[in-house]
Amino acid sequence: MKDILKSALLFQGLTEGDLNELHRIVVKKSFPKGEIVFSEGDEGTGFYLLKSGRVKVFKMSPAGKEQVLHIITPGEPFGEVSVFTGKPFPAYAETIEDSEVLYFPRDGFIKMIKKRPSIAMNMLAVLSMRLKEFVSTIEGLALKEVPKRLGAYLIYEAEKRGENSITLDIPKGLLASMIGTIPETLSRSLSKLAKMGYIEVDGPKIRIKDLEGLKEFSS
Amino acid sequence: MKDILKSALLFQGLTEGDLNELHRIVVKKSFPKGEIVFSEGDEGTGFYLLKSGRVKVFKMSPAGKEQVLHIITPGEPFGEVSVFTGKPFPAYAETIEDSEVLYFPRDGFIKMIKKRPSIAMNMLAVLSMRLKEFVSTIEGLALKEVPKRLGAYLIYEAEKRGENSITLDIPKGLLASMIGTIPETLSRSLSKLAKMGYIEVDGPKIRIKDLEGLKEFSS
DNA sequence: CGGAAGATTGATCAGTTTCAAGCTCCGTGG
DNA sequence: CCACGGAGCTTGAAACTGATCAATCTTCCG
């Protein structure tokens, strides 16, 4: 279990001894796929770090439509905002695979920060990156149509993986809710990008045929 | 000038000596109304704290439509994200009134944080609140129509001011871009809320006639 | 092999933007 | 002091984008 602490961005720069200390305040929990980790409005008495599996953090409309804010991958923290605002969780978190999470109770964690301020610096970096992502999300939702948002997402994923071919590791319905739309519209948008010659779609495999063109289109 | 440091959330809990030290690393700048403080893509070598006036932080689409992310009021920091990600500013900042800002160069500020970790804790609180706001913004854009977003905004403002009557201190066009729409649609939405009996509009003065009803409608 | 969940396609509809015109308010200059 | 002009705001009609509803197709496990 200490490997995940050691490899997490949040705890870079800590000594072996610090990690042991952290290890002592942590509670490990396991969730099967499809389980709620916390709900919007729940009191936030600590935060989580994903050890294995995957977790979606999302908002839900009264009508039941979901907007995914973030897909958490191993090593990433989630639910941290409540620790620092003292307010309830502002969104839902649900596993989309069998997952193991580490729970950090607020008090122990705050004490640890006081002792090792570099954790605070790391946390500031994590929150800042998240803010930057949210800014992109807001920009997309407010200023761009679905095909452009989809294009931007594909470019982002392709560059992250360093390939021009993406194999979706999430259902398309989830991708739809990540870019703020519904499966039908996503399907149509994929066809549209394909018809325009930017991509090639084969089930969950998407190949970018014209990266420059797609960038131009999605900007 | 020290009063603004003393009253800023970010620097709560510091001693007089600490504030003096901060004071030494700060550069004061003045901007007339309508001036760009920084642009998207600019290298972020530090961040700003608003001393007086008001600043809008926004994204712009290629077509020129703006999405306001935040209206900064005195005492609030802006442009902090770049300090912790090391990346360029992800948005524009422009004064909407004659303004005075304090500029904190990154290096000096980082040194100060190391010396007084409570600044880091305060900064974490600030960023967390901002994340929470962004989550609401994303939720609104993705999940709600304009009249509901407008309703939610009005409720938020009314509760912040502790009154059921709001006098807009920004042009309606700016409000439109804050809730992710354009002036025409905002105008129609105000009429709609008025016709439904939730509010009463008289120029820049908006009175909430039925708070409960509006809350219900906007949820 | 059968069935359920996910994905696609078509037709329709609602909400929002766009384009265009008119209105109101207010500061400026004659 | 009043008329002018411009910015901001409002209103109407048309065009567009995306959501909804419904049907069909595919996939892939049990």
Side-chain angles (χ1 to χ4, degrees):
Chain A
M1 170 164 123
K2 264 179 285 173
D3 350 348
I4 190 72
L5 293 184
K6 200 185 243 172
S7 67
L9 261 178
L10 190 52
F11 299 124
Q12 289 310 299
L14 295 190
T15 66
E16 206 63 35
D18 295 333
L19 291 174
N20 282 329
E21 199 163 335
L22 267 175
H23 181 243
R24 248 172 274 134
I25 67 170
V26 155
V27 183
K28 185 173 141 190
K29 300 184 184 182
S30 289
F31 295 87
K33 173 179 170 171
E35 196 96 341
I36 299 280
V37 179
F38 56 76
S39 293
E40 177 168 357
D42 282 0
E43 218 48 59
T45 58
F47 76 98
Y48 300 85
L49 185 80
L50 186 61
K51 178 168 186 264
S52 69
R54 252 161 348 146
V55 170
K56 69 171 173 184
V57 177
F58 63 103
K59 276 275 187 180
M60 199 152 52
S61 78
K65 187 184 167 192
E66 292 182 3
Q67 167 68 34
V68 173
L69 299 169
H70 207 82
I71 301 279
I72 307 291
T73 54
E76 281 186 83
F78 60 106
E80 349 67 45
V81 163
S82 290
V83 168
F84 303 109
T85 61
K87 301 272 169 69
F89 293 117
Y92 296 88
E94 178 185 328
T95 54
I96 56 175
E97 293 173 8
D98 295 348
S99 300
E100 299 168 293
V101 304
L102 305 180
Y103 175 72
F104 294 77
R106 176 199 261 128
D107 295 347
F109 182 66
I110 297 279
K111 261 183 219 146
M112 197 63 203
I113 285 189
K114 298 240 152 97
K115 196 165 153 198
R116 290 285 173 264
S118 74
I119 300 177
M121 291 303 292
N122 291 342
M123 187 60 101
L124 283 169
V126 168
L127 294 188
S128 294
M129 284 189 292
R130 201 150 293 173
L131 273 167
K132 211 166 141 265
E133 282 170 28
F134 280 0
V135 166
S136 296
T137 303
I138 291 171
E139 176 188 23
L141 288 171
L143 303 176
K144 293 179 185 168
E145 317 84 77
V146 174
K148 295 190 179 188
R149 303 208 288 268
L150 173 58
Y153 174 85
L154 293 175
I155 291 165
Y156 173 78
E157 280 299 315
E159 300 200 326
K160 197 167 74 179
R161 305 180 190 198
E163 302 177 14
N164 67 346
S165 193
I166 301 158
T167 301
L168 292 177
D169 52 0
I170 52 173
K172 286 187 180 173
L174 194 54
L175 171 54
S177 127
M178 287 177 68
I179 62 173
T181 188
I182 58 175
E184 291 94 320
T185 303
L186 172 64
S187 181
R188 289 184 239 269
S189 301
L190 280 169
S191 313
K192 187 173 177 190
L193 291 184
K195 202 167 299 162
M196 292 196 291
Y198 297 133
I199 64 173
E200 212 170 55
V201 183
D202 173 27
K205 243 185 64 190
I206 300 168
R207 198 172 66 78
I208 298 181
K209 285 165 64 184
D210 176 8
L211 181 60
E212 285 317 308
L214 184 58
K215 271 188 185 169
E216 167 64 20
F217 171 76
S218 304
S219 70
Chain B
M1 173 163 121
K2 265 179 283 173
D3 348 348
I4 190 71
L5 293 182
K6 199 184 245 172
S7 66
L9 260 177
L10 190 52
F11 300 122
Q12 288 312 299
L14 296 190
T15 65
E16 207 63 36
D18 295 334
L19 292 175
N20 282 329
E21 199 162 336
L22 267 175
H23 182 243
R24 249 172 274 132
I25 68 169
V26 155
V27 183
K28 185 174 144 193
K29 301 183 184 182
S30 290
F31 295 88
K33 173 178 172 174
E35 196 94 342
I36 300 281
V37 179
F38 56 75
S39 293
E40 176 168 359
D42 282 0
E43 218 47 59
T45 58
F47 77 98
Y48 299 85
L49 184 80
L50 186 61
K51 179 168 185 263
S52 70
R54 253 163 345 149
V55 169
K56 69 172 173 183
V57 177
F58 64 103
K59 276 274 188 181
M60 197 152 55
S61 78
K65 187 183 167 193
E66 293 182 3
Q67 168 66 36
V68 172
L69 300 169
H70 206 82
I71 300 279
I72 307 291
T73 53
E76 281 186 84
F78 61 104
E80 349 66 44
V81 163
S82 290
V83 169
F84 304 109
T85 60
K87 301 272 171 67
F89 293 118
Y92 296 87
E94 178 183 329
T95 54
I96 55 176
E97 293 174 7
D98 294 348
S99 301
E100 299 169 293
V101 305
L102 305 180
Y103 174 71
F104 294 77
R106 176 199 262 128
D107 295 347
F109 182 66
I110 297 280
K111 262 183 220 148
M112 196 64 202
I113 285 189
K114 296 239 152 99
K115 194 165 155 198
R116 290 284 174 265
S118 74
I119 299 177
M121 292 302 293
N122 290 343
M123 186 62 100
L124 283 169
V126 168
L127 294 189
S128 294
M129 283 189 293
R130 201 149 293 174
L131 273 167
K132 209 164 142 265
E133 281 169 27
F134 281 0
V135 166
S136 297
T137 302
I138 292 172
E139 175 189 24
L141 288 170
L143 272 13
K144 293 179 184 166
E145 318 83 76
V146 175
K148 296 190 178 185
R149 304 209 289 270
L150 174 58
Y153 173 85
L154 293 176
I155 292 164
Y156 173 77
E157 281 297 315
E159 299 199 328
K160 197 167 74 177
R161 308 183 188 195
E163 301 177 16
N164 68 347
S165 193
I166 300 158
T167 301
L168 292 178
D169 53 359
I170 52 173
K172 286 186 180 172
L174 195 52
L175 171 55
S177 128
M178 288 178 67
I179 62 175
T181 187
I182 56 175
E184 291 94 320
T185 304
L186 171 63
S187 181
R188 289 183 239 269
S189 301
L190 279 169
S191 312
K192 188 173 176 189
L193 291 185
K195 202 167 300 162
M196 293 195 293
Y198 297 133
I199 64 173
E200 212 169 55
V201 183
D202 174 27
K205 244 186 62 190
I206 300 167
R207 200 173 65 79
I208 298 181
K209 284 165 64 183
D210 176 7
L211 182 60
E212 286 316 309
L214 184 59
K215 271 188 185 168
E216 167 65 20
F217 171 77
S218 304
S219 72

